[in-house]
């Protein structure tokens, strides 16, 4: 489980970083040089994408938790602290403040209205980052397998799932892996309508600009949604 978790996070952060680079390129293709993000802003976006899930990393002296998934609820804030401390050591102190602010676009610890920053370019960068995170996650060819086989146990560790009952008042949402999977179609629709098209102003469209017209990420998400519908329909038919 821990080996899969480490590999899964490594793949995800690389997928998100690649998606972020593609969105930045798509944005640059659709705007004049004067409207493009600066080199340092682009670097901040790539750096934050690469370390956006660093908040799951346990410290060597951590004796409270034995699995980084226990930090799910607060991993974004932990990631911001990691970037604050690490980037100056890497010679990137100049981008650390931006990175520690835009990382919050990848999580749910803050309300969407708090996303709006004084610098419009920084807000755009945050929206691109949050978009890259969601797009890469939902477009992953193994997304359904990960949801069914691994995500529930991760949520159990995080206190978001408990076999046999759910209580949204305490944050315990999922009762079983099957229930999590049944709730995934609604999650995908909400992520697209509320987050991608709403809070993040539809900047996912820059992926199509990067690919020369085809929105390959949204095509992959649609394909995953269709596979999930077929899977759930088959399970419903098998239920007595």
């Amino acid at each position: 489980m821990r080996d899969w978790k480490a590999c899964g996070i490594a793949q995800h952060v690389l997928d998100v970083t690649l998606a972020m680079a593609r969105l930045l390129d798509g944005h640059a293709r659709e705007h004049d040089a004067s409207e493009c993000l600066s080199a340092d802003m682009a670097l901040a976006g790539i750096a934050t994408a690469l370390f956006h899930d660093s908040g799951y990393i346990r410290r060597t002296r951590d004796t409270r938790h034995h699995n980084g998934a226990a930090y799910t609820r607060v991993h974004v804030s932990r990631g911001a602290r990691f970037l604050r401390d690490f980037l100056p050591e890497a010679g990137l102190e100049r981008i650390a403040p931006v990175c520690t602010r835009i990382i919050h676009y990848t999580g749910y610890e803050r309300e969407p209205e708090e996303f709006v920053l004084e610098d419009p370019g920084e807000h755009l960068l945050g929206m691109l980052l949050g978009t890259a995170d969601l797009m890469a996650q939902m477009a992953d060819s193994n997304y359904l397998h990960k949801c069914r086989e691994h995500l529930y146990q991760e949520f159990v560790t995080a206190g978001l799932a408990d076999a046999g009952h759910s209580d949204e008042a305490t944050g315990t949402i999922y009762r079983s892996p099957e229930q999590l999977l049944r709730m995934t179609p609604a999650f995908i629709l909400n992520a697209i309508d509320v987050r991608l098209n709403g809070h993040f102003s539809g900047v996912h469209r820059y992926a199509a600009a990067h690919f020369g017209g085809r929105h390959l990420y949204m095509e992959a998400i649609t394909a995953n949604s269709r596979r999930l519908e077929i899977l759930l329909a088959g399970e419903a038919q098998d239920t007595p």
Side-chain angles (χ1 to χ4, degrees):
M1 174 64 183
R2 281 182 295 202
D3 289 344
W4 177 89
K5 180 64 177 173
C7 292
I9 286 183
Q11 178 203 331
H12 173 68
V13 298
L14 292 176
D15 287 346
V16 172
T17 304
L18 179 58
M20 184 65 175
R22 286 167 168 167
L23 289 173
L24 286 166
D25 175 68
H27 178 269
R29 288 171 182 266
E30 291 206 341
H31 293 83
D32 295 332
S34 61
E35 300 175 299
C36 291
L37 294 166
S38 69
D40 270 357
M41 288 288 275
L43 178 61
I46 296 298
T48 312
L50 192 58
F51 293 105
H52 80 281
D53 273 345
S54 58
Y56 285 111
I57 301 173
R58 295 172 56 246
R59 295 184 179 274
T60 54
R61 63 178 181 273
D62 187 351
T63 58
R64 182 180 180 185
H65 299 296
H66 299 288
N67 190 315
Y71 293 108
T72 295
R73 296 177 189 268
V74 295
H75 80 279
V76 178
S77 294
R78 293 183 85 243
R81 291 193 293 272
F82 174 87
L83 288 166
R84 179 198 64 196
D85 297 337
F86 171 75
L87 290 176
E89 295 180 2
L92 295 171
E93 183 175 5
R94 67 186 186 278
I95 66 171
V98 175
C99 295
T100 59
R101 289 190 290 268
I102 67 170
I103 193 174
H104 289 282
Y105 284 69
T106 68
Y108 296 83
E109 293 177 26
R110 294 185 177 180
E111 295 299 321
E113 54 267 23
E114 298 182 60
F115 289 160
V116 181
L117 305 175
E118 292 184 5
D119 182 346
E122 202 170 306
H123 179 49
L124 170 63
L125 194 65
M127 292 192 296
L128 292 172
L129 177 66
T131 296
D133 186 22
L134 270 177
M135 281 200 324
Q137 173 188 333
M138 297 188 298
D140 187 343
S141 60
N142 290 319
Y143 180 53
L144 302 186
H145 174 77
K146 291 177 179 179
C147 286
R148 184 167 195 169
E149 303 299 328
H150 303 287
L151 190 57
Y152 177 77
Q153 188 56 49
E154 180 179 328
F155 284 161
V156 170
T157 303
L160 295 170
D162 188 10
H165 73 277
S166 60
D167 182 1
E168 294 190 20
T170 62
T172 304
I173 303 171
Y174 306 107
R175 297 188 303 273
S176 67
E178 293 74 23
Q179 185 209 18
L180 187 154
L181 202 62
R182 289 195 300 272
M183 294 176 69
T184 299
F187 168 81
I188 293 175
L189 288 175
N190 183 77
I192 294 173
D193 293 341
V194 177
R195 300 268 301 178
L196 295 184
N197 290 330
H199 302 324
F200 299 152
S201 300
V203 297
H204 62 85
R205 65 186 180 275
Y206 295 127
H210 167 79
F211 288 117
R214 288 184 61 186
H215 198 329
L216 297 182
Y217 281 99
M218 204 55 72
E219 289 180 18
I221 293 170
T222 300
N224 276 339
S225 296
R226 289 173 178 167
R227 283 194 289 269
L228 179 55
E229 291 174 2
I230 293 171
L231 175 64
L232 293 175
E235 290 185 348
Q237 290 177 358
D238 292 339
T239 302

